[in-house]
Amino acid sequence: KIFDIGRRVAYKIRDVADLAYVLKMQGESQIPVYEITIKKEDLEKMNKGLSKVGNDRVFSDDMKYSVPANLEYEGKKHDIEIRYRGLQDIHWNADKKSYTVRFGKNDKLAGMKKISLILPLDRKYFVEDLNNYRAEKFGLMHVPGKFVNIKINGKLQGVYFSQEGWSDELLKHINKSE
């Protein structure tokens, strides 16, 4: 129990680091905004899966519920399925959580059928983006990613790292052979 309390306190302390950026939060952001709308009962269903996490602190795929939702970006609405992502508790134990988004059968967002919305902390903030930049300069294959703001049901969740993830669909998207 003491370990769990210490862990929760540590995760709250990490959020204090965001205070350094309070002055930068004034004015308009240059980062794209994905507006996601999830029905209350569907959000409750997603959270129900979190209640299954045991002492091993692992959130396996069989515990995660995908629910229908809508994603709006640049004036276009997309029907999506959304669920929490990540095995480790860094992705889902605080108010800000990581998500996996799948687009409808005949729908894509900038050529992508599935995106991961990952907490920047998990990707060491700019390190993933820097490594993608380097890979591109060396002509190496990499998974493109970008920073996006996420709003869920009108509430700003903050900045996420959006990435398609390795798949046959990604290889088609970046014009590589499967």
Side-chain angles (χ1 to χ4, degrees), residues 12-79:
K12 290 297 180 188
I13 290 172
R14 79 174 182 210
D15 293 340
V16 172
D18 290 341
L19 292 176
Y21 300 98
V22 167
L23 293 176
K24 300 263 185 202
M25 289 185 215
Q26 305 305 312
E28 288 294 316
S29 171
Q30 300 299 315
I31 300 175
V33 178
Y34 294 169
E35 295 193 39
I36 298 172
T37 306
I38 308 171
K39 291 180 183 173
K40 182 181 177 186
E41 58 269 16
D42 289 332
L43 200 51
E44 289 171 359
K45 183 178 180 181
M46 287 173 62
N47 289 333
K48 190 187 230 182
L50 287 173
S51 67
K52 296 179 181 180
V53 174
N55 291 334
D56 58 358
R57 311 291 298 162
V58 173
F59 191 32
S60 58
D61 284 346
D62 61 322
M63 299 174 176
K64 298 173 185 166
Y65 295 109
S66 292
V67 299
N70 293 301
L71 184 147
E72 186 173 341
Y73 176 61
E74 293 184 336
K76 186 173 182 202
K77 290 189 179 193
H78 304 269
D79 291 328

Side-chain angles (χ1 to χ4, degrees), residues 4 10 13 23 26 49 95 102 105 107 115 121 130 147 152-153:
D4 283 340
I13 290 172
L23 293 176
Q26 305 305 312
D95 292 337
R102 291 183 192 275
K105 186 176 181 180
D107 194 10
I115 57 173
L121 178 65
L130 177 62
F147 292 102
I152 296 181
N153 295 338

Side-chain angles (χ1 to χ4, degrees), residues 1-174:
K1 277 216 179 263
I2 292 175
F3 181 73
D4 283 340
I5 292 169
R7 181 188 304 228
R8 278 184 262 155
V9 169
Y11 284 123
K12 290 297 180 188
I13 290 172
R14 79 174 182 210
D15 293 340
V16 172
D18 290 341
L19 292 176
Y21 300 98
V22 167
L23 293 176
K24 300 263 185 202
M25 289 185 215
Q26 305 305 312
E28 288 294 316
S29 171
Q30 300 299 315
I31 300 175
V33 178
Y34 294 169
E35 295 193 39
I36 298 172
T37 306
I38 308 171
K39 291 180 183 173
K40 182 181 177 186
E41 58 269 16
D42 289 332
L43 200 51
E44 289 171 359
K45 183 178 180 181
M46 287 173 62
N47 289 333
K48 190 187 230 182
L50 287 173
S51 67
K52 296 179 181 180
V53 174
N55 291 334
D56 58 358
R57 311 291 298 162
V58 173
F59 191 32
S60 58
D61 284 346
D62 61 322
M63 299 174 176
K64 298 173 185 166
Y65 295 109
S66 292
V67 299
N70 293 301
L71 184 147
E72 186 173 341
Y73 176 61
E74 293 184 336
K76 186 173 182 202
K77 290 189 179 193
H78 304 269
D79 291 328
I80 62 169
E81 276 196 356
I82 189 168
R83 71 177 180 124
Y84 294 130
R85 74 167 296 282
L87 289 175
Q88 300 171 338
D89 62 354
I90 188 174
H91 292 285
W92 42 262
N93 74 343
D95 292 337
K96 188 173 179 179
K97 296 172 177 32
S98 292
Y99 300 93
T100 296
V101 172
R102 291 183 192 275
F103 293 86
K105 186 176 181 180
N106 297 317
D107 194 10
K108 294 182 180 181
L109 178 71
M112 299 178 288
K113 286 290 294 170
K114 175 185 162 189
I115 57 173
S116 294
L117 301 172
I118 306 165
L119 298 175
L121 178 65
D122 184 59
R123 298 295 193 227
K124 309 293 186 257
Y125 290 92
F126 68 92
V127 173
E128 181 95 4
D129 204 36
L130 177 62
N131 286 337
N132 286 343
Y133 171 79
R134 287 190 245 182
E136 193 166 315
K137 287 294 181 191
F138 285 112
L140 301 173
M141 194 165 58
H142 65 285
V143 180
K146 67 179 181 179
F147 292 102
V148 297
N149 272 312
I150 303 297
K151 280 186 179 179
I152 296 181
N153 295 338
K155 182 179 178 192
L156 183 63
Q157 302 296 307
V159 176
Y160 280 77
F161 191 72
S162 174
Q163 195 170 46
E164 186 170 3
W166 289 104
S167 67
D168 288 344
E169 193 70 36
L170 165 75
L171 294 173
K172 287 181 204 171
H173 181 217
I174 61 173

